[in-house]
């Protein structure tokens, strides 16, 4: 097995230390950083994403795999910057105002980072204007809103309205998700996309950013 496959396999098993060691070995052997990222780390995370969609792995496995990916990515970050490799897109994400649930939001973030997107994490209890101001200031292609409470999902409609008022609605996509959110709700509030799970959210974000 080549070193890139070994990185991918160990990442899928959540073996952070092994991933870190192997990534350093690959760097030392002169493997191009983009290859280490694409064929090692991102390929491993993509397998986990697909398995998560099919319920073959669950939240804990995704979290340890994401931690392993972050360990490897830390070593690559400065080298990628030197090589001028840029992210495939930029998005901001947060759990909406009044809502403190962040496990699902963090999973979406990790999956997106696992697909090479730059993700600005606004945390929880995020006001509609913060989503919109961040998207404007940071040139985000997508605003990602998560909500877990029926009492807070309505804030997503305010995000859509604020984006319209700020005149950026045609420049930024708005994606919504979280347990109480549905496709019908997404359409009702005029958002662009609802996805039911983190891996599908990341898949769509990559497509939307490269469109
Ligand atoms: Co809360 N809570 N909670 N809670 N909590 C729920 C959501 C609840 C369903 C429990 C219940 O009553 N059965 C209920 C909501 C009822 C409702 O609104 N209909 C509830 C309640 C009522 C509350 C409080 C009001 C309780 C109280 O204080 N009386 C309170 C509210 C606090 C607040 O937010 N202001 C509260 C507090 C908490 C804790 C702090 C204790 C804790 C949160 C810890 C944390 O997040 N750091 C907590 C937890 C853990 C839960 C449950 C048990 C689990 C939620 C979770 O993390 N699921 C939950 C019950 C349940 O779901 N069984 C519950 C796992 C996570 C991976 O799933 O977030 O759905 P989820 O994310 C999925 C998808 O939805 C999707 O991807 C993820 C996986 O692929 N997804 C997106 C998520 N965001 C997305 C965004 C996207 C796309 C996809 O695009 C942008």
């Amino acid at each position: 097995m080549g070193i890139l496959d070994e990185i991918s396999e160990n990442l899928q098993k959540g073996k952070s230390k092994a991933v870190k060691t192997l990534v350093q070995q690959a760097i030392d052997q002169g493997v191009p950083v983009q290859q280490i990222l694409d064929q090692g780390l991102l390929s491993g995370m993509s397998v986990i994403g697909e398995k998560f969609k099919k319920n073959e792995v669950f939240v804990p496995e995704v979290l340890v795999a994401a931690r392993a990916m972050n360990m490897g990515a830390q070593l690559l970050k400065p080298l990628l910057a030197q090589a001028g490799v840029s992210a495939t897109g930029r998005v901001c994400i947060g759990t909406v105002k009044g809502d403190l649930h962040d496990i699902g939001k963090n999973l979406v973030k990790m999956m997106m980072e696992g697909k090479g997107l730059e993700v600005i994490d606004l945390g929880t209890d995020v006001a509609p204007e913060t989503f919109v101001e961040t998207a404007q200031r940071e040139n985000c292609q997508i605003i990602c809103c998560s909500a877990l409470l029926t009492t807070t999902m309505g804030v997503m409609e305010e995000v859509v309205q604020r984006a319209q008022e700020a005149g950026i609605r045609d420049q930024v996509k708005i994606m919504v998700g979280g347990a109480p959110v549905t496709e019908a709700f997404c359409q009702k509030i005029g958002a662009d996309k609802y996805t039911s799970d983190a891996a599908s959210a990341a898949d769509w974000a990559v497509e939307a950013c490269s469109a």
Side-chain angles (χ1 to χ4, degrees), residues 1-26 36 39-48 51 57 60-72:
M1 190 192 290
I3 192 157
L4 297 176
D5 291 333
E6 272 190 77
I7 292 172
S8 171
E9 293 284 329
N10 278 281
L11 183 145
Q12 290 168 49
K13 290 177 191 151
K15 295 189 173 171
S16 302
K17 278 187 191 155
V19 168
K20 198 175 172 191
T21 307
L22 285 162
V23 167
Q24 189 58 56
Q25 271 174 23
I36 304 175
Q39 293 167 35
L41 298 177
L42 297 185
S43 117
M45 203 58 205
S46 161
V47 175
I48 286 290
K51 286 188 174 170
V57 297
E61 285 99 324
V62 177
L63 292 177
V64 288
R67 194 178 55 195
M69 193 192 74
N70 287 334
M71 296 277 271

Side-chain angles (χ1 to χ4, degrees), residues 52 98 100-104 146 148-150 175 177-179 195-198:
F52 183 57
L100 302 175
H101 296 85
D102 67 357
I103 298 169
S146 180
L148 262 284
L149 299 171
T150 46
M175 172 156 48
T195 51
S196 60
D197 64 88

Side-chain angles (χ1 to χ4, degrees), residues 151-200:
T151 49
T152 59
M153 59 196 272
V155 176
M156 292 172 167
E157 188 167 10
E158 288 179 49
V159 176
V160 176
Q161 283 163 3
R162 287 271 178 171
Q164 258 153 10
E165 283 160 20
I168 61 162
R169 191 64 193 90
D170 55 346
Q171 294 146 40
V172 67
K173 301 277 183 210
I174 299 177
M175 172 156 48
V176 294
V181 180
T182 60
E183 176 63 45
F185 177 76
C186 169
Q187 286 180 18
K188 180 175 152 268
I189 65 169
D192 296 293
K193 185 70 184 172
Y194 158 74
T195 51
S196 60
D197 64 88
S200 307

